[in-house]
Amino acid sequence: MATNEDEDASYVDYEAFLDPGFSPSSFANTLVLATNNPTDTPLDLSTPLSKVLFDAQEVDSHIDLLTTRSAIPLLTYTKEQTEASGRIISEIDNQVKSLNESYKQLEKEVIQKHAEADEVRQVAARLWETLKLGRSVGRCLQLGRQLEIQHTEITSSGSGTPSGGSKKEDHRALVRCAHTLLSLREILDKKAPGEEGHGLDRVNAIRSLQEYVIAPIEKSVRSTSEQIIREFNIGSASGTATFAQTEEAKARMISAAVTLYLISPAAGTKPEKWTPQLLLQALEVYLRNALQSSIASLARSLATLPSLDRTLAEVSARCQNIIALEIILAATNAPAHPLLPAHKHNANLLQPLLAYLETGSLASYFWRTMASSLSTRVQEIVNRGGVSARTLKTNRNNVGDAIRECVIRGSQPPSTITATKGKGSKGDTEKSGGWDREVAVMVGSVVGNLGR
């Protein structure tokens, strides 16, 4: 009891020191102010310092007292903790040894085998890539050989020879070549990882195939198809074309048009904006050649009227060929394009051409375009004066009637061509005004520029 009283009588303010808000600087300031006046010039620091030292000695003495008095319990507790730690370490050592042995076994049975299996997986993956590449190369080479055979079917008889020759070309082989070219494009254009054509550009055989087989044959197929379109003629001028010759010309035109439709470039174009560029270019060249020839010959004939009837017959024949072309294209369904699966296909081959030329009829386009160019030619004849201008003015009525008959006759389909539904009865309405606008434009382009 006496000891407890001594502890309680300790003058150390433990509560102040144990306060969570204890501040050494504030405590020191309190001690200095307790032993000095604020106005003292020399401050007495020895008294507060002695107070702090006495407190420290008191705490040190208290610690010595406690440790001396509780030495046996502390040592006993320490011993127990040490023995318990030893037992724990012993148990942990056994567990660590067991864990190390298990890890070694796991490393032997799993990790090493996993490393070996990963090597096998890499080998298998590379073999699979090699196999896929080999299959793609084999398919390309097979298609290349097939393309050569199909191309031989065209060139063996001399492509572009007249259909009436002793040996006919197989124009249907053009379409077969086009489909084979599309199959090759479908493989070679898919170069992304995982796709069929990935890595083919690094194979020498494929590069040689593209350079020496695909590119030349594609160029030949394109030029042959364009030549067939350029040479398209039903023979309506002479009227000597037989039904068999007309059917052969139609079949050749269809094959050439379908071929150019299929091989038109599709890479880098959105499906909804795609157009058969090669077909449109070939047809535009055909129309342009017909227009240029007609304009040049008609301009010469207007200067020398005796040849006008023959020239107008040729012009009407060219327009009949254009109408026959329009009927054939309208009756030919546009083929499905394998490289444009999401593309909304045209109903026929005529639609993209009409949209490209921004017209509703090829015959109307022919007459209107020719009329716009004839006006300048007639003005040149009139401005030059002379016998040609006087003769042309004198016979203006006869010239106007001849041009009117030319437009009406040329706007009717050839007798050997069957018009599609909706066009067959049009020929019966021409004389009653079906082509009045075209007649007025053509007659006006010549007679209207003759003056009085």
Side-chain angles (χ1 to χ4, degrees), residues 223-434:
S223 62
T224 302
S225 301
E226 291 173 344
Q227 182 177 357
I228 290 175
I229 292 178
R230 286 196 306 270
E231 296 174 353
F232 174 72
N233 186 6
I234 297 299
S236 54
S238 60
T240 58
T242 64
F243 179 78
Q245 290 173 336
T246 302
E247 290 300 310
E248 177 66 16
K250 286 170 57 179
R252 294 176 76 242
M253 168 58 70
I254 292 172
S255 296
V258 170
T259 299
L260 292 176
Y261 183 95
L262 290 173
I263 66 174
S264 294
T269 304
K270 294 182 179 179
E272 61 273 10
K273 295 184 178 180
W274 179 83
T275 56
Q277 182 180 355
L278 297 182
L279 175 60
L280 298 180
Q281 289 175 354
L283 294 173
E284 185 183 21
V285 168
Y286 177 79
L287 294 174
R288 186 168 62 247
N289 290 341
L291 282 168
Q292 290 175 349
S293 301
S294 300
I295 293 168
S297 60
L298 189 54
R300 288 194 299 269
S301 296
L302 289 174
T304 55
L305 286 183
S307 62
L308 181 62
D309 291 339
R310 179 175 55 84
T311 301
L312 290 177
E314 294 175 354
V315 172
S316 65
R318 292 190 186 99
C319 187
Q320 285 187 341
N321 283 330
I322 291 174
I323 290 180
L325 174 65
E326 182 175 8
I327 294 173
I328 293 171
L329 294 177
T332 305
N333 294 328
H337 203 297
L339 300 184
L340 300 169
H343 174 57
K344 184 178 180 181
H345 297 284
N346 299 298
N348 53 52
L349 296 181
L350 180 62
Q351 285 183 352
L353 178 60
L354 295 180
Y356 179 71
L357 297 177
E358 298 181 351
T359 184
S361 168
L362 295 185
S364 177
Y365 174 81
F366 176 80
W367 293 123
R368 291 173 183 271
T369 305
M370 184 163 57
S372 64
S373 299
L374 273 180
S375 299
T376 305
R377 302 294 183 93
V378 173
Q379 289 177 1
E380 291 177 355
I381 296 174
V382 173
N383 292 335
R384 284 199 304 265
V387 178
S388 298
R390 289 195 301 271
T391 305
L392 187 59
K393 290 181 179 180
T394 302
N395 295 276
R396 70 168 63 213
N397 293 331
N398 295 332
V399 171
D401 293 339
I403 292 176
R404 181 180 296 104
E405 290 298 323
C406 173
V407 174
I408 293 174
R409 183 173 60 252
S411 300
Q412 298 178 13
S415 59
T416 53
I417 294 291
T418 303
T420 56
K421 186 176 181 181
K423 292 181 179 287
S425 61
K426 191 171 185 179
D428 299 332
T429 64
E430 260 73 50
K431 293 184 179 181
S432 60

Side-chain angles (χ1 to χ4, degrees), residues 17-49:
F17 289 108
L18 295 176
D19 187 3
F22 175 78
S23 173
S25 57
S26 299
F27 181 73
N29 188 47
T30 302
L31 290 179
V32 172
L33 291 176
T35 57
N36 292 274
N37 292 323
T39 58
D40 292 343
T41 301
L43 294 176
D44 181 14
L45 299 179
S46 59
T47 302
L49 182 59

